[in-house]
Structures are given as structure tokens and as C-alpha cells.
Amino acid sequence: MTTSPPTISVQHLTRRFGDFIAVDHVSFEVQPGEVVGYLGPNGSGKTTTIRMLCGLLRPSSGTVSVLGIDVIRDPEGIKPHIGYMSQKFALYDDLTVHENLAFYAGVYDVPRKLEAQRLAEVLRMAGLEGRTRTPASELSGGWRQRLALGCALVHHPPLLFLDEPTSGVDPVARREFWDLIYELAAGGTTIFVTTHYMDEAEHCGRVGFMQRGKLLAYDTPRALKEQYLHGAAWNLAAEPLLEAVEALDTLPGIAQSRLEGDRAHVIVTPGAWTPESLTAALTGQGMTVTAVEPVEPTLEDVFTLLARR
Ligand SMILES: Nc1ncnc2c1ncn2[C@@H]1O[C@H](COP(=O)(O)OP(=O)(O)OP(=O)(O)O)[C@@H](O)[C@H]1O
Ligand SMILES: [Mg+2]
């Protein structure tokens, strides 16, 4: 079996701004056709990482290979081969949908004779066919994001960087945007996408979690849950509930307790508690526990745990 080289390979990628280390010895690989979700709190270094991968920002140290190109030696060489929908993607408000796409076709040097066909493809994919003459300024948030995605795709890049493409977009439009991402991935496009939405992360093939410039975890959602949680997420029904949530949070061996609907959601350090001993501990503090159920851990549980360390 031949294995194709990784689409992205990053080793000890580091970027300093003065004394501040925005990206700190980050290493990972992305395989062809993967959808990788990149998460982390505000200011953790996600955008800075993407900008270095796209040849827009020079790393302080480390190596970056994207589509076989050494991006540090040849930052211009990578640009025609990637699509980048930046966090503040620039659409031209007084241009129409069609004119925006045509503008980006020019930026990306799409050959004149291919332009009409490419634009038609992108309009179809993004579902924008009925809106070609609409000024960008009149599009709602979800449609703007679709147009921005289309603009990043006019040159058919095999690799797409999306920086928070769905922030501020309603749940239905987010779902539809993700359908587009899957459609692209099914067609072979490799996708690197940052998000703050856990439900989106759950749908990625692999997920990275950054904090203060460091990549704390990078794996499939399933592997992350197995590695960090060992199935130790429980929901408790207790009275009074808020008091129980707070009491649980102060117990040793409880990595986290939070309110989730009408339950207390807890992450238990493996072996620290049994449902019986935990019930007894709360009962001893004057609370009533009516149920303790093991539940499927979520990525949010994993990231909360990582962020707390
Ligand atoms: N050009 C710059 N000069 C100085 N500091 C910078 C520069 N660019 C980014 N930073 C700092 O680097 C850190 C990481 O920023 P970055 O934009 O990569 O975070 P992020 O993870 O994308 O955050 P967000 O989720 O808010 O988009 C921040 O503290 C930011 O202020
Ligand atoms: Mg950012």
C-alpha cells in the first residue's frame, strides 16, 4: 500500500510577537481529504497558525510544509493552491454576488476562458444561483458566509482554510454551511476549519485544541473522549440542584461539575467515585439524589478538562 504524503505537516511551529509567544512549538499533520477542526479560546493562536500555513505570516521558528511546498522558503508558491476564508473575510458590499466572485476569480488568476464555468459551479454549490445580482450588502449573515466560501473556492483549491466561517450564523444556516463543507470534502478537498462550536467539532474527522499558543490535543473526537474521559461522565438528578452542582465541584476526584438542563453533569476522575459513594456524599450534605446515570461524554467535556489543567 502506498501512503500519500500529508497535505499539511507542521513541526515545532512558533510565532512570537515581541516577548509574547502566540504559537508555541505546535506540531501536527493533516492527511489528504481530512476535515480538521481547530478549537481554542479567543487569543489561543488559531488565526496566527492559519496565517503561517497560508504563507501570510512568517514563523519565528519551526517548519511548515503544505501540499509539498516549504511555505517558509516559498510563501508565494503556496497561495495559488489554497483557499482561505479569513475570520474577517472581505466581501465588497457594493458589488453583487456575481461581481464579488468574478473579482476573486481575478485575484486567483482563474483563466478567462474557465471563469464562467467556475463561477457557475461555485454559485450552484453555494446555492447562490437565484441571487447573482444581489448586492453583497443585502445578504443576510448566512448567505454572506456562503458567498465568502464561494470566493475562496473559485480557483478549485485542493486545500481550504476556513477561519470561524459560521460565527454569528443561525443554527439552520450553520447546518447548511456544514453540508457544503462535507460536499467539498467528499469531492476530495482537504479542509482546515476553526470554530468555537462544539457540535461542529464533533463532526470533524480530527480535532485540535489550542490553549495559550500550545496544541494541547489533536485526535479524532472518539479517541479524545476515550483518552481523556474513560467514559467517566455522569448526570445526576438531585435536590436542590444548584447546591448539588456546587457541592460536587468542590469534591476531590470530580474534575468538573456543571448544570445541564435539569441535571448536574459531572466528570469523574477514573476510580474516584462509584454512583453509590457519590450519592452518599451528597446525602451526607443534606441533599437528595434520585438518579446517577453514566452518559456519553462530549467533546465539550474533554476541552473543559484540558482547559482546566
Ligand atoms: N500582529 C500581531 N501583533 C501582536 N500580537 C498579535 C498579532 N497577531 C496576533 N497577536 C496576538 O496573538 C494571540 C493569538 O491571536 P490569534 O488571533 O491567533 O488568536 P485566535 O485563537 O485566532 O483567537 P480568536 O478565537 O479570538 O479568533 C493574541 O493574543 C493576539 O493578540
Ligand atoms: Mg482567530
Side-chain angles (χ1 to χ4, degrees), residues 189-271:
T189 307
T190 306
I191 295 168
F192 189 92
V193 52
T194 72
T195 177
H196 288 293
Y197 296 109
M198 292 296 161
D199 58 327
E200 294 184 352
E202 294 273 2
H203 291 111
C204 294
R206 270 203 283 185
V207 173
F209 183 69
M210 278 198 98
Q211 181 160 271
R212 289 191 213 99
K214 290 200 160 65
L215 183 60
L216 296 188
Y218 185 70
D219 215 325
T220 64
R222 172 185 289 267
L224 288 172
K225 290 173 201 169
E226 280 169 6
Q227 181 181 351
Y228 291 100
L229 294 175
H230 311 282
W234 300 348
N235 276 357
L236 274 77
E239 282 287 332
L241 187 58
L242 279 179
E243 239 173 78
V245 170
E246 277 172 27
L248 286 161
D249 222 15
T250 62
L251 290 177
I254 300 289
Q256 196 209 25
S257 158
R258 65 170 184 263
L259 185 65
E260 234 177 59
D262 60 352
R263 295 283 193 274
H265 182 76
V266 292
I267 302 162
V268 183
T269 307

Coordinates of all heavy atoms in Angstrom, one line a residue, residues 189-271:
T189 N -11.6 17.7 -1.3 CA -10.9 18.8 -0.8 C -10.5 18.6 0.7 O -11.3 18.1 1.5 CB -11.9 20.1 -0.8 OG1 -12.3 20.2 -2.2 CG2 -11.2 21.3 -0.4
T190 N -9.3 19.0 1.1 CA -8.9 18.9 2.4 C -9.3 20.2 3.1 O -9.1 21.3 2.5 CB -7.4 18.7 2.5 OG1 -7.0 17.6 1.7 CG2 -6.9 18.5 3.9
I191 N -9.8 20.1 4.3 CA -10.4 21.3 5.0 C -9.9 21.4 6.4 O -9.9 20.5 7.2 CB -11.9 21.2 5.0 CG1 -12.4 21.3 3.5 CG2 -12.5 22.4 5.8 CD1 -13.8 21.0 3.3
F192 N -9.4 22.6 6.7 CA -8.9 23.0 8.0 C -9.7 24.2 8.5 O -9.8 25.2 7.9 CB -7.4 23.4 7.9 CG -6.7 23.6 9.2 CD1 -6.0 22.6 9.8 CD2 -6.7 24.8 9.8 CE1 -5.3 22.7 11.0 CE2 -6.1 25.0 11.0 CZ -5.4 24.0 11.6
V193 N -10.5 23.9 9.5 CA -11.6 24.9 9.9 C -11.5 25.2 11.4 O -11.4 24.3 12.2 CB -13.0 24.4 9.5 CG1 -13.3 23.0 10.0 CG2 -14.1 25.3 9.9
T194 N -11.5 26.5 11.8 CA -11.5 26.8 13.2 C -13.0 27.1 13.5 O -13.8 27.6 12.7 CB -10.7 28.1 13.5 OG1 -11.4 29.2 13.0 CG2 -9.3 28.0 13.0
T195 N -13.3 26.8 14.8 CA -14.7 27.0 15.2 C -14.7 27.1 16.8 O -13.8 26.6 17.4 CB -15.6 25.9 14.8 OG1 -16.9 26.1 15.3 CG2 -15.2 24.5 15.3
H196 N -15.7 27.8 17.3 CA -16.0 27.8 18.7 C -17.2 26.9 19.0 O -17.6 26.7 20.2 CB -16.3 29.2 19.2 CG -15.1 30.1 19.2 ND1 -14.0 29.8 20.1 CD2 -14.7 31.1 18.5 CE1 -13.1 30.8 19.9 NE2 -13.5 31.5 18.9
Y197 N -17.7 26.2 18.0 CA -18.9 25.4 18.2 C -18.6 23.9 18.4 O -18.0 23.3 17.5 CB -19.9 25.5 17.0 CG -20.5 26.9 16.9 CD1 -20.1 27.7 15.8 CD2 -21.4 27.5 17.8 CE1 -20.6 29.0 15.6 CE2 -21.9 28.7 17.6 CZ -21.5 29.5 16.5 OH -22.0 30.8 16.3
M198 N -19.0 23.4 19.6 CA -18.6 22.0 19.9 C -19.3 21.0 18.9 O -18.8 20.0 18.6 CB -19.0 21.7 21.3 CG -18.2 22.4 22.3 SD -16.4 21.9 22.2 CE -15.7 23.3 23.0
D199 N -20.6 21.4 18.6 CA -21.3 20.4 17.7 C -20.6 20.3 16.3 O -20.6 19.3 15.7 CB -22.8 20.9 17.5 CG -22.9 22.3 16.9 OD1 -22.0 23.1 17.2 OD2 -23.8 22.6 16.2
E200 N -20.0 21.4 15.9 CA -19.2 21.4 14.6 C -18.0 20.5 14.8 O -17.6 19.7 13.9 CB -18.8 22.8 14.2 CG -20.1 23.6 13.8 CD -19.7 25.0 13.3 OE1 -18.5 25.4 13.3 OE2 -20.7 25.7 12.8
A201 N -17.3 20.7 15.9 CA -16.1 19.9 16.2 C -16.4 18.4 16.2 O -15.6 17.6 15.7 CB -15.5 20.3 17.5
E202 N -17.6 18.0 16.8 CA -18.0 16.6 16.8 C -18.0 16.0 15.4 O -17.9 14.8 15.2 CB -19.3 16.5 17.5 CG -19.4 16.8 18.9 CD -19.0 15.7 19.9 OE1 -18.7 14.6 19.3 OE2 -19.1 15.9 21.1
H203 N -18.3 16.9 14.4 CA -18.4 16.4 13.0 C -17.1 16.4 12.2 O -17.2 16.0 11.0 CB -19.5 17.2 12.3 CG -20.9 16.9 12.9 ND1 -21.6 17.9 13.6 CD2 -21.6 15.8 12.9 CE1 -22.7 17.4 14.0 NE2 -22.8 16.1 13.6
C204 N -16.0 16.7 12.9 CA -14.8 16.7 12.1 C -14.1 15.4 12.3 O -14.3 14.7 13.3 CB -13.8 17.8 12.7 SG -14.4 19.5 12.4
G205 N -13.3 15.0 11.3 CA -12.5 13.8 11.3 C -11.5 13.8 12.5 O -11.3 12.9 13.2
R206 N -10.8 15.0 12.6 CA -9.9 15.1 13.7 C -10.1 16.5 14.2 O -10.5 17.5 13.5 CB -8.4 14.9 13.2 CG -8.0 13.5 13.4 CD -6.5 13.3 13.5 NE -5.9 13.5 12.2 CZ -4.6 13.3 12.0 NH1 -3.8 13.0 13.0 NH2 -4.1 13.5 10.8
V207 N -9.7 16.7 15.5 CA -9.9 17.9 16.2 C -8.6 18.3 16.9 O -8.0 17.5 17.6 CB -11.1 17.8 17.2 CG1 -11.2 19.0 18.0 CG2 -12.4 17.5 16.4
G208 N -8.2 19.6 16.8 CA -7.1 20.1 17.6 C -7.6 21.1 18.6 O -8.6 21.8 18.4
F209 N -7.0 21.1 19.8 CA -7.4 22.1 20.8 C -6.2 22.9 21.2 O -5.2 22.4 21.8 CB -8.0 21.4 22.0 CG -8.5 22.3 23.0 CD1 -9.7 23.1 22.8 CD2 -7.9 22.4 24.3 CE1 -10.1 24.0 23.8 CE2 -8.4 23.3 25.2 CZ -9.5 24.1 25.0
M210 N -6.3 24.2 21.0 CA -5.2 25.1 21.3 C -5.5 25.9 22.6 O -6.7 26.2 22.9 CB -5.0 26.2 20.2 CG -4.1 25.7 19.1 SD -3.5 27.1 18.2 CE -1.9 27.2 18.9
Q211 N -4.5 26.1 23.4 CA -4.7 27.0 24.5 C -3.3 27.7 24.8 O -2.3 27.1 24.8 CB -5.1 26.2 25.8 CG -5.3 27.1 27.0 CD -6.1 26.5 28.0 OE1 -7.3 26.6 28.1 NE2 -5.5 25.8 28.9
R212 N -3.4 29.0 24.9 CA -2.2 29.8 25.1 C -1.1 29.4 24.2 O 0.1 29.2 24.6 CB -1.8 29.8 26.6 CG -2.7 30.5 27.5 CD -2.2 30.7 28.9 NE -3.2 30.6 29.9 CZ -3.5 29.5 30.6 NH1 -2.8 28.4 30.4 NH2 -4.5 29.5 31.4
G213 N -1.4 29.3 22.9 CA -0.4 29.0 21.9 C 0.1 27.6 21.8 O 0.8 27.3 20.8
K214 N -0.4 26.7 22.7 CA 0.0 25.3 22.6 C -1.1 24.5 22.1 O -2.3 24.7 22.4 CB 0.4 24.8 24.0 CG 1.7 25.4 24.5 CD 2.3 24.6 25.6 CE 3.8 24.8 25.9 NZ 4.1 26.1 26.4
L215 N -0.7 23.5 21.3 CA -1.7 22.5 20.8 C -1.8 21.4 21.9 O -0.9 20.5 22.0 CB -1.3 21.9 19.5 CG -2.2 20.9 18.8 CD1 -3.6 21.6 18.5 CD2 -1.6 20.4 17.5
L216 N -2.8 21.4 22.7 CA -2.9 20.5 23.8 C -3.4 19.1 23.5 O -3.1 18.2 24.1 CB -3.9 21.1 24.9 CG -3.6 22.4 25.6 CD1 -4.5 22.6 26.7 CD2 -2.1 22.4 26.1
A217 N -4.2 19.0 22.4 CA -4.7 17.7 22.0 C -5.0 17.8 20.5 O -5.3 18.8 20.0 CB -5.9 17.4 22.8
Y218 N -4.8 16.6 19.8 CA -5.1 16.5 18.4 C -5.4 15.1 18.0 O -4.5 14.2 18.0 CB -3.8 17.0 17.6 CG -4.0 17.1 16.1 CD1 -4.9 18.1 15.6 CD2 -3.4 16.3 15.3 CE1 -5.0 18.2 14.2 CE2 -3.6 16.3 13.9 CZ -4.4 17.3 13.4 OH -4.6 17.4 12.0
D219 N -6.6 14.8 17.8 CA -7.0 13.4 17.5 C -8.5 13.4 17.0 O -9.1 14.4 16.9 CB -6.9 12.6 18.8 CG -6.4 11.1 18.5 OD1 -6.8 10.6 17.4 OD2 -5.6 10.6 19.3
T220 N -9.0 12.1 16.8 CA -10.4 12.0 16.4 C -11.2 12.3 17.7 O -10.8 12.1 18.8 CB -10.7 10.6 15.9 OG1 -10.5 9.7 17.0 CG2 -9.8 10.2 14.8
P221 N -12.5 12.8 17.5 CA -13.3 13.0 18.6 C -13.5 11.8 19.5 O -13.4 11.9 20.7 CB -14.7 13.4 18.0 CG -14.3 14.0 16.6 CD -13.1 13.3 16.2
R222 N -13.6 10.6 18.9 CA -13.7 9.4 19.7 C -12.5 9.2 20.5 O -12.6 8.9 21.7 CB -14.0 8.2 18.8 CG -14.0 6.9 19.5 CD -14.1 5.8 18.5 NE -15.5 5.8 17.9 CZ -16.5 5.0 18.4 NH1 -16.2 4.2 19.5 NH2 -17.7 5.0 17.9
A223 N -11.3 9.3 19.9 CA -10.1 9.0 20.6 C -9.9 10.0 21.8 O -9.4 9.6 22.8 CB -8.9 9.0 19.7
L224 N -10.2 11.2 21.5 CA -10.1 12.3 22.6 C -11.0 11.9 23.8 O -10.5 12.0 24.9 CB -10.5 13.6 22.0 CG -9.5 14.3 21.1 CD1 -10.1 15.5 20.5 CD2 -8.2 14.6 21.8
K225 N -12.2 11.5 23.5 CA -13.1 11.1 24.6 C -12.6 9.9 25.4 O -12.6 9.9 26.6 CB -14.5 10.9 24.1 CG -15.2 12.1 23.6 CD -16.5 11.7 22.9 CE -17.0 12.8 22.0 NZ -18.1 12.4 21.2
E226 N -12.0 9.0 24.6 CA -11.5 7.8 25.3 C -10.3 8.1 26.1 O -10.1 7.6 27.2 CB -11.3 6.7 24.3 CG -12.5 6.0 23.9 CD -12.4 5.1 22.7 OE1 -11.3 4.9 22.2 OE2 -13.4 4.5 22.2
Q227 N -9.4 8.9 25.5 CA -8.1 9.2 26.2 C -8.3 10.0 27.5 O -7.7 9.8 28.5 CB -7.2 9.9 25.2 CG -5.9 10.3 25.8 CD -5.0 11.0 24.8 OE1 -5.3 11.2 23.6 NE2 -3.9 11.5 25.3
Y228 N -9.2 11.0 27.4 CA -9.3 12.0 28.5 C -10.4 11.7 29.4 O -10.5 12.2 30.6 CB -9.4 13.4 27.9 CG -8.1 13.9 27.3 CD1 -8.0 13.9 25.9 CD2 -7.0 14.2 28.1 CE1 -6.8 14.2 25.3 CE2 -5.8 14.6 27.5 CZ -5.7 14.6 26.1 OH -4.6 14.9 25.5
L229 N -11.4 10.9 29.0 CA -12.6 10.7 29.9 C -12.9 9.3 30.4 O -13.5 9.1 31.3 CB -13.8 11.3 29.2 CG -13.8 12.8 29.0 CD1 -15.0 13.3 28.2 CD2 -13.7 13.5 30.3
H230 N -12.4 8.3 29.6 CA -12.6 6.9 30.0 C -14.0 6.7 30.4 O -14.3 5.9 31.3 CB -11.7 6.6 31.2 CG -10.3 7.0 31.1 ND1 -9.4 6.3 30.3 CD2 -9.6 8.0 31.6 CE1 -8.2 6.9 30.3 NE2 -8.3 7.9 31.1
G231 N -14.9 7.3 29.7 CA -16.4 7.0 29.9 C -16.9 7.6 31.3 O -17.9 7.1 31.7
A232 N -16.1 8.5 31.9 CA -16.5 8.9 33.3 C -17.3 10.2 33.3 O -17.1 11.0 34.1 CB -15.2 9.1 34.1
A233 N -18.3 10.2 32.5 CA -19.2 11.4 32.5 C -20.6 10.9 33.1 O -21.1 9.9 32.5 CB -19.4 12.0 31.2
W234 N -21.1 11.5 34.1 CA -22.4 11.1 34.7 C -23.3 12.3 34.8 O -22.9 13.4 34.9 CB -22.2 10.6 36.1 CG -21.3 9.4 36.3 CD1 -20.8 8.7 35.3 CD2 -20.7 8.9 37.5 NE1 -20.0 7.7 35.8 CE2 -19.9 7.8 37.2 CE3 -20.8 9.3 38.8 CZ2 -19.2 7.1 38.1 CZ3 -20.1 8.6 39.8 CH2 -19.3 7.5 39.4
N235 N -24.6 12.0 34.7 CA -25.6 13.0 35.0 C -26.3 12.6 36.3 O -26.7 11.5 36.5 CB -26.6 13.1 33.9 CG -26.2 14.0 32.7 OD1 -25.1 14.6 32.8 ND2 -26.9 14.1 31.7
L236 N -26.5 13.6 37.2 CA -27.1 13.4 38.4 C -28.4 14.2 38.5 O -28.4 15.4 38.2 CB -26.3 13.8 39.6 CG -25.2 12.9 40.2 CD1 -24.0 12.8 39.2 CD2 -24.8 13.3 41.6
A237 N -29.5 13.5 39.0 CA -30.7 14.3 39.4 C -30.6 14.4 40.9 O -30.5 13.4 41.6 CB -31.9 13.5 38.9
A238 N -30.7 15.7 41.3 CA -30.6 15.9 42.8 C -31.3 17.1 43.2 O -31.6 18.0 42.4 CB -29.1 16.1 43.1
E239 N -31.7 17.2 44.5 CA -32.4 18.3 45.0 C -31.7 18.9 46.3 O -31.3 18.0 47.1 CB -33.8 17.9 45.5 CG -34.8 17.7 44.4 CD -35.3 19.0 43.8 OE1 -35.3 20.0 44.5 OE2 -35.6 19.1 42.6
P240 N -31.5 20.1 46.5 CA -31.7 21.2 45.4 C -30.5 21.1 44.4 O -29.3 20.9 44.8 CB -31.7 22.5 46.3 CG -31.2 22.1 47.6 CD -31.0 20.6 47.8
L241 N -30.9 21.3 43.2 CA -29.9 21.0 42.1 C -28.7 21.9 42.1 O -27.6 21.5 42.0 CB -30.7 21.1 40.8 CG -29.9 20.7 39.5 CD1 -29.4 19.2 39.6 CD2 -30.7 20.8 38.3
L242 N -28.9 23.2 42.2 CA -27.8 24.2 42.1 C -26.8 23.9 43.3 O -25.6 24.0 43.1 CB -28.3 25.6 42.2 CG -28.8 26.2 40.9 CD1 -29.3 27.6 41.0 CD2 -27.7 26.1 39.8
E243 N -27.3 23.6 44.4 CA -26.5 23.3 45.6 C -25.6 22.1 45.3 O -24.5 22.0 45.6 CB -27.3 23.1 46.8 CG -27.0 24.0 48.0 CD -28.1 23.8 49.1 OE1 -27.9 22.8 49.8 OE2 -29.0 24.6 49.1
A244 N -26.3 21.1 44.7 CA -25.6 19.8 44.4 C -24.5 20.1 43.3 O -23.4 19.6 43.5 CB -26.6 18.8 43.8
V245 N -24.8 20.9 42.3 CA -23.7 21.2 41.3 C -22.5 21.8 42.0 O -21.4 21.4 41.8 CB -24.3 22.2 40.3 CG1 -23.2 22.7 39.4 CG2 -25.4 21.5 39.4
E246 N -22.8 22.8 42.9 CA -21.7 23.4 43.6 C -20.9 22.5 44.6 O -19.7 22.5 44.6 CB -22.2 24.7 44.4 CG -22.3 25.8 43.5 CD -23.0 27.0 44.1 OE1 -22.9 27.1 45.4 OE2 -23.6 27.8 43.4
A247 N -21.7 21.7 45.3 CA -21.1 20.7 46.2 C -20.2 19.7 45.4 O -19.1 19.4 45.9 CB -22.1 20.0 47.0
L248 N -20.7 19.3 44.3 CA -19.9 18.3 43.5 C -18.6 18.9 43.0 O -17.6 18.2 43.0 CB -20.8 17.8 42.3 CG -21.9 16.9 42.6 CD1 -22.9 16.9 41.5 CD2 -21.4 15.5 42.9
D249 N -18.7 20.2 42.7 CA -17.5 20.9 42.1 C -16.3 20.9 43.2 O -15.2 21.1 42.8 CB -17.9 22.3 41.6 CG -17.2 22.6 40.3 OD1 -16.7 21.6 39.6 OD2 -17.2 23.8 39.9
T250 N -16.7 20.9 44.5 CA -15.7 21.0 45.5 C -15.1 19.6 45.9 O -14.2 19.6 46.7 CB -16.2 21.7 46.7 OG1 -17.3 20.9 47.3 CG2 -16.7 23.1 46.4
L251 N -15.7 18.6 45.5 CA -15.3 17.2 45.9 C -14.0 16.8 45.2 O -13.8 17.1 44.0 CB -16.4 16.2 45.6 CG -17.7 16.2 46.4 CD1 -18.6 15.2 45.9 CD2 -17.4 16.0 47.9
P252 N -13.1 16.1 45.9 CA -11.9 15.6 45.2 C -12.4 14.5 44.3 O -13.4 13.8 44.5 CB -11.1 15.0 46.4 CG -12.1 14.7 47.5 CD -13.2 15.8 47.3
G253 N -11.6 14.4 43.2 CA -12.0 13.3 42.2 C -13.1 13.7 41.3 O -13.6 12.9 40.5
I254 N -13.6 14.9 41.4 CA -14.6 15.4 40.4 C -13.9 16.5 39.6 O -13.5 17.5 40.1 CB -15.8 16.0 41.1 CG1 -16.6 15.0 42.0 CG2 -16.8 16.6 40.0 CD1 -17.3 13.9 41.2
A255 N -13.6 16.2 38.4 CA -12.8 17.1 37.5 C -13.7 18.3 37.2 O -13.2 19.4 37.0 CB -12.4 16.4 36.3
Q256 N -15.0 18.1 37.0 CA -15.8 19.2 36.7 C -17.3 18.9 37.1 O -17.7 17.7 36.9 CB -15.8 19.6 35.3 CG -16.3 21.0 35.0 CD -16.9 21.2 33.7 OE1 -17.3 20.2 33.0 NE2 -16.9 22.4 33.2
S257 N -18.0 19.9 37.5 CA -19.5 19.7 37.7 C -20.1 20.9 37.1 O -19.6 22.1 37.3 CB -19.8 19.6 39.1 OG -21.1 19.9 39.4
R258 N -21.1 20.7 36.3 CA -21.9 21.9 35.7 C -23.3 21.6 35.6 O -23.7 20.4 35.5 CB -21.3 22.4 34.4 CG -21.4 21.4 33.3 CD -21.0 22.0 31.9 NE -21.2 21.1 30.9 CZ -20.2 20.4 30.3 NH1 -19.0 20.4 30.8 NH2 -20.5 19.5 29.3
L259 N -24.1 22.6 35.5 CA -25.6 22.5 35.3 C -25.8 22.2 33.9 O -25.3 22.9 33.0 CB -26.3 23.8 35.8 CG -27.8 23.7 35.8 CD1 -28.3 22.7 36.8 CD2 -28.3 25.1 36.1
E260 N -26.6 21.2 33.6 CA -27.0 20.9 32.2 C -28.5 20.5 32.2 O -28.9 19.4 32.6 CB -26.2 19.8 31.6 CG -25.5 20.1 30.3 CD -24.6 19.1 29.8 OE1 -25.1 17.9 29.6 OE2 -23.4 19.3 29.7
G261 N -29.3 21.5 31.9 CA -30.8 21.3 31.9 C -31.2 21.0 33.3 O -30.9 21.8 34.2
D262 N -31.9 19.9 33.6 CA -32.4 19.6 34.9 C -31.4 18.6 35.6 O -31.8 17.9 36.6 CB -33.8 19.1 34.9 CG -33.9 17.8 34.1 OD1 -32.9 17.4 33.4 OD2 -35.0 17.2 34.1
R263 N -30.2 18.5 35.2 CA -29.2 17.6 35.7 C -27.9 18.3 36.1 O -27.6 19.3 35.6 CB -28.9 16.4 34.7 CG -30.0 15.5 34.4 CD -30.3 14.5 35.5 NE -31.2 13.5 35.1 CZ -32.5 13.5 35.1 NH1 -33.1 14.6 35.5 NH2 -33.3 12.5 34.8
A264 N -27.2 17.6 37.0 CA -25.8 18.0 37.3 C -24.9 17.1 36.4 O -25.0 15.9 36.5 CB -25.5 17.9 38.7
H265 N -24.1 17.7 35.6 CA -23.2 16.9 34.7 C -21.9 16.9 35.3 O -21.3 18.0 35.5 CB -23.2 17.6 33.3 CG -22.4 16.8 32.3 ND1 -22.8 15.6 31.7 CD2 -21.1 17.0 31.8 CE1 -21.9 15.2 30.9 NE2 -20.9 16.0 30.9
V266 N -21.4 15.7 35.6 CA -20.0 15.7 36.3 C -19.1 14.8 35.5 O -19.5 13.8 34.8 CB -20.1 15.1 37.7 CG1 -20.8 16.1 38.6 CG2 -20.8 13.7 37.8
I267 N -17.8 15.2 35.6 CA -16.7 14.4 35.0 C -15.9 13.8 36.2 O -15.4 14.6 37.0 CB -15.8 15.2 34.1 CG1 -16.7 15.8 32.9 CG2 -14.7 14.3 33.5 CD1 -16.0 16.9 32.2
V268 N -15.9 12.5 36.3 CA -15.3 11.9 37.5 C -13.9 11.3 37.1 O -13.8 10.7 36.1 CB -16.2 10.7 37.9 CG1 -15.7 10.1 39.2 CG2 -17.6 11.2 38.1
T269 N -13.0 11.6 37.9 CA -11.6 11.0 37.7 C -11.8 9.5 37.9 O -12.4 9.0 38.8 CB -10.7 11.5 38.8 OG1 -10.7 12.9 38.8 CG2 -9.2 11.0 38.5
P270 N -11.3 8.7 36.9 CA -11.5 7.3 36.9 C -11.2 6.7 38.3 O -10.1 6.9 38.9 CB -10.5 6.8 35.9 CG -10.4 7.9 34.9 CD -10.4 9.1 35.8
G271 N -12.1 5.9 38.8 CA -11.9 5.2 40.1 C -12.2 6.0 41.3 O -12.2 5.4 42.4

